[in-house]
Amino acid sequence: MERLLLLEDDLALGEGVRLALQSPERPVTLCRDLAQARQALAGGGPFALAILDINLPDGSGLSLLAELRGRVPVILLTANDLETDIVTGLELGAEDYITKPFSLAVLRARVNAQLRRQAGGGGEVVEVGEFVFDFARMEYRKGGRLVELSKTEQKLLRLLVQNRGVTLTRADLVDRVWTDGAAYVDENALSVTVKRLRDKLEDTPSKPKYLKTVYGVGYTWAVK
């Protein structure tokens, strides 16, 4: 059973998210403030994932994120214009974020991707189709054959594979792949890295089966 913790002070939004995510195998505990969330965390079994709003009546969801670091994976719900909250949240250890307003279908896909990642032992070794990707050892095989990847290609591949079936935007990928402190990275660098990755992994790079473009949005690793 995969128990989810949802912290959202907007009752209508919280109920909508809870109904979209909940199933008999995936109960969702909805809390409206930090006090309720801390009580739920202290009083029950382990949670597989926490979905935390940031602006709450009794404080910031970032404070709870800091408490959960290393214990429970977290997806943040953020206001559209608060880039500083996104950066702080990722630095505090959030696995992912989604900005309001958002599609429930997109949130469900992000949640499913994180739960798959946790079920796969943190995503260190992923077997998908003809590939075996060992991210801990930095060994990548296609049909048993080793494939050499640059560090940037490895980071991009890991994000795509661990979120397979989910479209990641170009801006999101640039922010999460190029984390070396560069002030500005041209999105063309992402296009070049995608092309190089396809050339190494796809049988027909011009007609990719796995690393697919979602035109006008970004890229996704197709579920196979």
Side-chain angles (χ1 to χ4, degrees):
M1 184 173 292
E2 298 170 326
R3 298 177 65 223
L4 306 185
L5 175 70
L6 172 61
L7 176 53
E8 170 58 61
D9 66 317
D10 184 318
L11 183 58
L13 176 59
E15 284 293 342
V17 171
R18 184 183 64 81
L19 290 172
L21 297 178
Q22 187 162 271
S23 71
E25 296 77 27
R26 186 183 291 176
V28 178
T29 299
L30 174 59
C31 302
R32 298 190 64 189
D33 56 34
L34 289 170
Q36 288 182 6
R38 290 186 173 110
Q39 184 176 8
L41 287 161
F47 287 91
L49 182 70
I51 304 164
L52 308 181
D53 191 14
I54 291 181
N55 297 312
L56 297 161
D58 55 348
S60 170
L62 294 174
S63 63
L64 184 58
L65 168 62
E67 295 170 26
L68 293 177
R69 188 168 190 169
R71 295 169 48 205
V72 181
V74 171
I75 294 177
L76 290 176
L77 303 181
T78 73
N80 217 359
D81 58 346
L82 295 181
E83 183 177 292
T84 54
D85 282 346
I86 294 172
V87 172
T88 301
L90 293 174
E91 289 178 344
L92 285 173
E95 306 297 323
D96 201 355
Y97 66 88
I98 187 167
T99 55
K100 299 178 181 180
F102 53 82
S103 158
L104 289 176
V106 170
L107 177 60
R108 189 186 301 114
R110 295 281 186 94
V111 167
N112 289 340
Q114 289 301 326
L115 292 173
R116 281 200 306 269
R117 178 180 176 183
Q118 300 308 315
E124 292 303 303
V125 179
V126 176
E127 297 186 30
V128 53
E130 60 191 310
F131 302 103
V132 178
F133 301 134
D134 188 333
F135 294 105
R137 296 184 178 182
M138 294 185 290
E139 292 182 357
Y140 310 94
R141 296 180 183 270
K142 176 183 178 181
R145 176 180 58 85
L146 275 173
V147 179
E148 295 293 330
L149 301 179
S150 71
K151 290 293 180 65
T152 303
E153 291 162 358
Q154 291 177 45
K155 291 173 74 174
L156 176 61
L157 177 64
R158 184 167 192 159
L159 281 170
L160 291 167
V161 169
Q162 290 182 338
N163 293 281
R164 53 193 179 277
V166 178
T167 299
L168 300 179
T169 68
R170 292 179 61 86
D172 190 16
L173 288 169
V174 168
D175 287 344
R176 296 168 70 179
V177 172
W178 282 271
T179 56
D180 56 0
Y184 174 74
V185 176
D186 192 325
E187 282 196 11
N188 185 57
L190 175 61
S191 300
V192 171
T193 305
V194 167
K195 182 182 185 304
R196 289 175 176 168
L197 200 52
R198 282 178 175 154
D199 288 342
K200 294 178 180 182
L201 298 179
E202 297 279 4
D203 292 330
T204 309
S206 60
K207 297 180 179 179
K209 290 171 55 181
Y210 300 97
L211 205 174
K212 294 193 172 185
T213 300
V214 180
Y215 291 98
V217 182
Y219 300 96
T220 186
W221 186 276
V223 176
K224 297 290 183 181

